[in-house]
């Protein structure tokens, strides 16, 4: 491992004093006497970019991570200098650039407190072995600073005191603290003195992060090549930091609503009769399910884009029959293309010269499931175009609705490093490079090509893609899962942390293999994992299958009933989850919120790992241990309703919460309005003739949202959506809900059924849009009523 180095280390080189400064609109150029250049770009008042070169000039500016639609523009920019430093001031930040050594300090423009400060700052080491520089950055760790983010690390949610490496790695049955695993997301958030900032080190080489491990008061990051190129985001709210990073690297389009339903997967369901048995059982047992997966055995000898004639003789008919029963078929596609002259995908790839090559010319040959394979260079636009085109038959003709990209780290079997050797060449979209630079983005570019194929051939319906490997920005194209976890209680805890961490890293559409991929859970573990999984944006059971079955009915009737109950809750909450997805898609807001993001001012939250908020208003805490009758958990400040008993708990403390096996700690924020569907066996099974709104009374105010559209297709992009903002206000003898609507979508239902929980007074009068209505006319009973969906003001009073 390349170590972060200390000052004494002779190999480190440093910028000398600034001799030249130039401003070019929003880009500031600084040059030092030893020809180091710093390009400081002011992207927004709270977003700065720092780029360093050690050779006096920059290579072409190119990144796969950055979303072309990222916001740009600031309200204020002023540059001055004094004897020791340049001073860049925006509406939110002050940045000092020290003349003597190019070091940086960033301060809050309002109160001038230090937010982030270089320790040694930028330095580098020349590496003849790697070629180029090992570029390094070290920052002062502030008093009491905590760190969050970095993608899928199976570690404590607070990264302080630990060191990490980003190198996408196939990690079968990884454990707690295994590093690195499948993803490389070099973005973290720091929090100290109640203020939060973020750093995105946009460098696709092998990167390292050290959060006060090597030295107690220093946080550093470095890369084995490429540029020191990082973005700085200021909050001070942590949510704003994550939102800014997500704005820069992008969010996905809305998924089809069915993708938020429950998915069933196994390695492998085959032949067709087995697939049908499984799907039939879901319907017979009335356990909702929207998607069924086919793992590698559906293919002919693991050749991508083929079907096994023996197991799936008529895929089109089967996929249609499954679709008629509400099941969307999702199939796996890996990057390795079997070397076989009889196989047209291979022949075509070879003829067109689309496969990756070693530095000296031969093709990159490696063993994966089909045996020896070549691998497309997804960093070439024409290869991505070809790959997208390969989906025509699967999607357009056969009717497959989703594609699962696996082994795309890329994984290679039986070789040291479990991947391509470093010399393999890539185009990198016209910036030719070795695998050292392209490794971490290989899976992302594969998923991108897959996404474009699905989008083209599934149009006018929306695509659904899931990937294992990812780099920053991959969330624009696909959902993800955490790879090959294990059926242990510890892994249930890890899955919870990873889903939160990915959400804090801009990648919300994620979930674990529920129940564990390797080994076999018992019924209790499976039930507890389902309880957690239904609150993750992506909800799928998957298992390697070689240790037994892992369907909801694979244990006993009690477990089946519990699993059904929780999957039903997910189906009821679909409009809530979809609204949460909309907020992610349109406002860059993470779908899961760790308690620290929810309330950073409460220092109690800084090390909490188990509790999280799903969306904005549902507090979830899984049971992580066997034989539990409940657990202690931290309830964040504010008032919360126990979801089951409707008792109100005042937060800001640890509390024991009862949770027998058929229950789990679940709370709703007081004042929330939670939209609900009736239970369906799959999305679209029923026409929704009335939408339920569960209102949780509060003495005070709270805002909620409801987003709706056609649940698929692109009409929403042309304004055919409905976004309702609910303002709730309550006091001792009155409760008011106001609705503001945006968009032109007309929902199929005409009425809301409103259930009010915790109302402290007896209702004597009801006004809808300022007119008194007869209580009978709105079917008022037990604090429930039915009103037109068109109301803009509803008032309930005690007299
Ligand atoms: C990998 C995947 C796993 C899949 C298996 C076979 O291990 O992570 O999900 O089932 O390959 O395709």
């Amino acid at each position: 491992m390349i170590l972060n180095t200390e000052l004494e280390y002779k190999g480190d080189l440093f910028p000398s004093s600034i001799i030249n400064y130039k401003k070019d609109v929003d880009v500031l150029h600084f040059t030092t006497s030893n020809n180091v250049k710093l390009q400081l770009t002011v992207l927004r008042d709270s977003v700065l970019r720092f780029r360093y070169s050690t050779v006096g000039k920059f290579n072409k500016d190119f990144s796969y991570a950055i979303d072309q639609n990222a916001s740009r523009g600031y309200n204020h920019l002023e540059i001055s200098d004094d004897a020791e430093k340049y001073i860049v001031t925006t509406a939110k930040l002050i940045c000092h650039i020290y003349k003597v050594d190019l070091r940086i300090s960033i301060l809050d423009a309002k109160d001038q407190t230090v937010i982030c400060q270089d320790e040694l700052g930028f330095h580098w080491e020349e590496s003849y072995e790697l070629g180029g520089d090992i570029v390094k950055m070290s920052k002062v760790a502030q008093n009491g600073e905590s760190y969050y983010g970095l993608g899928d690390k199976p570690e404590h949610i607070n990264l302080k005191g630990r060191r990490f490496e980003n190198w996408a790695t196939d990690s079968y049955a990884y454990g707690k603290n295994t590093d690195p695993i499948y993803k490389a997301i070099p973005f973290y958030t720091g929090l100290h003195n109640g203020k939060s900032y973020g750093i995105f080190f946009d460098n696709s080489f092998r990167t390292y992060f050290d959060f006060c491990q090597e030295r107690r008061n220093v946080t550093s990051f470095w890369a084995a090549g490429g540029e020191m190129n990082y973005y700085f985001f200021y909050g001070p709210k942590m949510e704003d930091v994550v939102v800014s990073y997500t704005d820069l690297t992008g969010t996905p389009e809305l998924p089809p609503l069915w993708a938020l339903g429950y998915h069933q997967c196994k390695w492998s369901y085959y032949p067709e009769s087995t697939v049908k048995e499984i799907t039939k059982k879901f319907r017979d047992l009335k356990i909702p399910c929207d998607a069924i997966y086919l793992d590698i055995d559906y293919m002919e000898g693991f050749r991508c884009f083929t079907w096994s004639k023996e197991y799936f003789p008529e895929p089109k008919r089967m996929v249609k029959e499954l679709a008629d029963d509400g099941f969307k078929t999702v199939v796996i596609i890996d990057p390795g293309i079997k070397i076989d002259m009889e196989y047209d995908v291979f022949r075509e790839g070879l003829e067109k010269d689309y496969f990756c090559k070693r530095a000296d010319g031969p093709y990159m040959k490696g063993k994966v499931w089909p045996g020896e394979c070549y691998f497309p260079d997804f960093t070439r636009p024409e290869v991505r175009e070809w790959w997208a085109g390969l989906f025509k038959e699967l999607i357009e003709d056969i009717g497959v609705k989703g594609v699962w990209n696996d082994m795309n780290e890329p994984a290679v079997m039986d070789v040291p490093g479990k991947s391509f050797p470093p010399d393999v060449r890539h185009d990198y979209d016209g910036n030719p490079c070795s695998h050292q630079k392209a490794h971490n983005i290989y899976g992302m570019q594969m998923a991108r090509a897959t996404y474009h194929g699905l989008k083209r051939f599934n149009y006018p319906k929306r695509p659904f893609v899931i990937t294992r490997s990812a780099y920053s920005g991959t969330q624009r194209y696909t959902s993800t899962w955490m790879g090959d976890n294990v059926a242990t209680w510890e892994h249930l805890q890890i899955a919870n942390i990873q889903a939160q961490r990915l959400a804090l890293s801009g990648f919300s559409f994620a979930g674990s293999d529920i129940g564990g991929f390797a080994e076999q859970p018992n019924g209790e573990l499976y039930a507890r994992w389902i309880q957690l999984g239904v609150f993750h944006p992506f909800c799928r059971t998957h298992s390697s299958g070689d240790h037994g079955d892992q369907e909801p009915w694979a244990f006993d009737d009690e477990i089946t009933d519990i699993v059904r109950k929780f999957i039903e809750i997910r189906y009821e909450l679909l409009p809530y989850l979809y609204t949460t997805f909309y907020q992610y898609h349109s406002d860059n807001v993470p779908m899961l919120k760790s308690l620290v993001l929810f309330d950073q001012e409460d220092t109690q939250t800084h090390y909490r790992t188990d509790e999280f908020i799903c969306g904005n208003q549902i507090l979830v805490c899984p049971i992580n241990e066997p034989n539990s009758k409940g657990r202690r958990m931290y309830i964040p400040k504010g008032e919360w309703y126990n979801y089951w008993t409707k008792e109100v708990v005042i937060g800001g403390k640890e509390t024991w919460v009862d949770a027998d096996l058929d229950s789990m700690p679940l709370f709703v924020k007081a004042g929330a309005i939670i939209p609900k569907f009736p239970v369906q066996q799959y999305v679209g099974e029923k026409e929704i003739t009335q939408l339920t709104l569960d209102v949780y009374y509060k003495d005070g105010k709270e805002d909620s949202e409801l987003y709706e559209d056609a649940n698929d297709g692109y009409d929403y992009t042309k304004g055919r959506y409905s976004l309702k903002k609910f303002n709730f206000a309550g006091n001792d003898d009155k409760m008011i809900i106001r609705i503001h609507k945006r968009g032109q979508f007309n929902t199929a239902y005409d009425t809301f059924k409103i259930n009010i929980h915790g109302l402290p007074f007896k209702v004597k009068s009801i006004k809808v849009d300022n007119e008194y209505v007869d209580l009978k006319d709105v079917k008022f009973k037990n604090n429930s009523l039915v009103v037109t969906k068109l109301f803009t003001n509803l008032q309930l009073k005690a007299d």
Side-chain angles (χ1 to χ4, degrees), residues 64 378-379 384 429 441-450 477:
Y64 284 117
F378 294 107
T379 72
R384 289 197 298 271
D429 279 67
I441 55 82
Y442 185 86
M444 173 194 198
Q445 294 311 303
M446 177 192 186
R448 174 186 180 184
T450 302
Y477 311 114

Side-chain angles (χ1 to χ4, degrees), residues 374-581:
Y374 289 168
F375 302 82
D377 183 7
F378 294 107
T379 72
R380 282 168 65 187
E382 64 274 31
V383 175
R384 289 197 298 271
E385 181 62 24
W386 169 66
W387 186 260
L390 292 174
F391 286 95
K392 184 173 192 322
E393 192 186 339
L394 262 181
I395 309 298
E396 199 177 83
D397 304 346
I398 298 179
V400 163
K401 286 286 162 207
V403 170
W404 171 22
N405 281 167
D406 187 25
M407 306 294 277
N408 54 354
E409 291 68 31
V412 179
M413 291 164 176
D414 307 331
V415 290
K418 298 195 278 187
S419 193
F420 294 1
D423 66 275
V424 170
R425 303 295 302 166
H426 295 273
D427 179 60
Y428 215 93
D429 279 67
N431 305 277
C433 66
S434 78
H435 195 64
Q436 296 181 103
K437 182 172 175 179
H439 176 83
N440 281 336
I441 55 82
Y442 185 86
M444 173 194 198
Q445 294 311 303
M446 177 192 186
R448 174 186 180 184
T450 302
Y451 159 81
H452 284 295
L454 261 80
K455 194 165 173 176
R456 186 180 312 160
F457 299 116
N458 201 30
Y459 193 83
K461 301 285 192 198
R462 304 174 193 164
F464 172 71
V465 180
I466 173 164
T467 183
R468 193 170 71 174
S469 181
Y471 180 70
S472 295
T474 308
Q475 71 271 8
R476 297 198 294 273
Y477 311 114
T478 168
S479 63
T480 190
W481 90 107
M482 288 79 157
D484 298 344
N485 59 2
V486 189
T488 62
W489 287 93
E490 185 175 72
H491 261 276
L492 165 56
Q493 226 174 330
I494 293 174
N496 180 10
I497 294 173
Q498 286 177 309
Q500 292 180 50
R501 193 192 299 298
L502 280 161
L504 291 178
S505 311
F507 208 146
S508 282
F509 199 6
S512 64
D513 282 353
I514 295 174
F517 176 75
E519 299 176 21
Q520 170 78 351
N522 62 17
E524 184 190 8
L525 175 58
Y526 183 69
R528 290 303 194 188
W529 209 318
I530 274 279
Q531 292 172 355
L532 170 67
V534 299
F535 293 99
H536 283 167
F538 177 64
C539 179
R540 177 184 79 160
T541 292
H542 180 40
S543 73
S544 62
D546 45 4
H547 295 89
D549 294 336
Q550 208 156 300
E551 291 79 38
W553 52 84
F555 305 94
D556 60 33
D557 290 349
E558 188 199 357
I559 300 298
T560 309
D561 290 343
I562 294 168
V563 171
R564 179 192 300 106
K565 171 173 162 179
F566 279 87
I567 296 180
E568 285 181 347
I569 291 177
R570 182 171 179 98
Y571 275 75
E572 286 180 330
L573 287 175
L574 279 175
Y576 177 82
L577 293 169
Y578 197 48
T579 301
T580 302
F581 207 113

